[in-house]
């Protein structure tokens, strides 16, 4: 879970730097990765908690690896979203 926070903060810093160089000063650019990262982290935690409540006492290998699988999938989704947003920021035209 700490990976989500670190990746989001790093992306926010890079987004801020890139947009500032192009002349944009809106906080929405650097806030986007923080919101998405924290939202996905909370979503993954919620999914794991709900699944744990539904399948209490389940000891199958799938259920033992379920938390890690959810974390990895959520991390992949976060990386894909950040990469797409980064491409959009890079394609912004410089502001006068």
């Amino acid at each position: 879970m700490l990976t989500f926070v670190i990746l989001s903060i790093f992306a926010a810093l890079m987004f801020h730097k890139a947009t500032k160089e192009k002349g944009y000063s809106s906080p929405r650019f650097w806030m986007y990765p923080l919101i998405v990262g924290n939202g996905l982290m909370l979503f993954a935690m919620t999914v794991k908690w709900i699944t744990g409540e539904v399948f209490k006492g389940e000891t199958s290998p799938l259920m033992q690896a379920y938390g890690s699988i959810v974390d990895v999938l959520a991390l992949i989704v976060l990386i894909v979203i950040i990469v797409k947003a980064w491409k959009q920021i890079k394609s912004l035209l410089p502001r006068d």
Side-chain angles (χ1 to χ4, degrees):
M1 291 297 160
L2 185 61
T3 308
F4 287 90
V5 175
I6 292 171
L7 185 61
S8 297
I9 290 172
F10 179 72
L13 293 172
M14 296 304 294
F15 280 30
H16 179 67
K17 180 182 175 192
T19 55
K20 194 170 184 180
E21 288 173 357
K22 292 193 178 225
Y24 297 90
S25 62
S26 176
R28 68 180 174 191
F29 295 112
W30 61 264
M31 285 176 34
Y32 180 74
L34 295 174
I35 293 169
V36 170
N38 288 325
L40 276 171
M41 182 178 65
L42 291 174
F43 177 75
M45 290 170 63
T46 304
V47 166
K48 290 189 297 187
W49 176 75
I50 290 172
T51 305
E53 290 296 316
V54 171
F55 296 106
K56 278 189 177 179
E58 184 72 31
T59 59
S60 69
L62 176 63
M63 287 307 294
Q64 291 175 353
Y66 183 75
S68 298
I69 292 170
V70 169
D71 287 339
V72 168
L73 291 176
L75 188 61
I76 290 170
V77 169
L78 176 64
I79 291 170
V80 167
I81 291 172
I82 287 177
V83 166
K84 285 185 177 191
W86 181 252
K87 287 179 182 177
Q88 289 178 347
I89 285 177
K90 284 304 207 178
S91 69
L92 286 173
L93 297 174
R95 208 168 205 189
D96 294 333

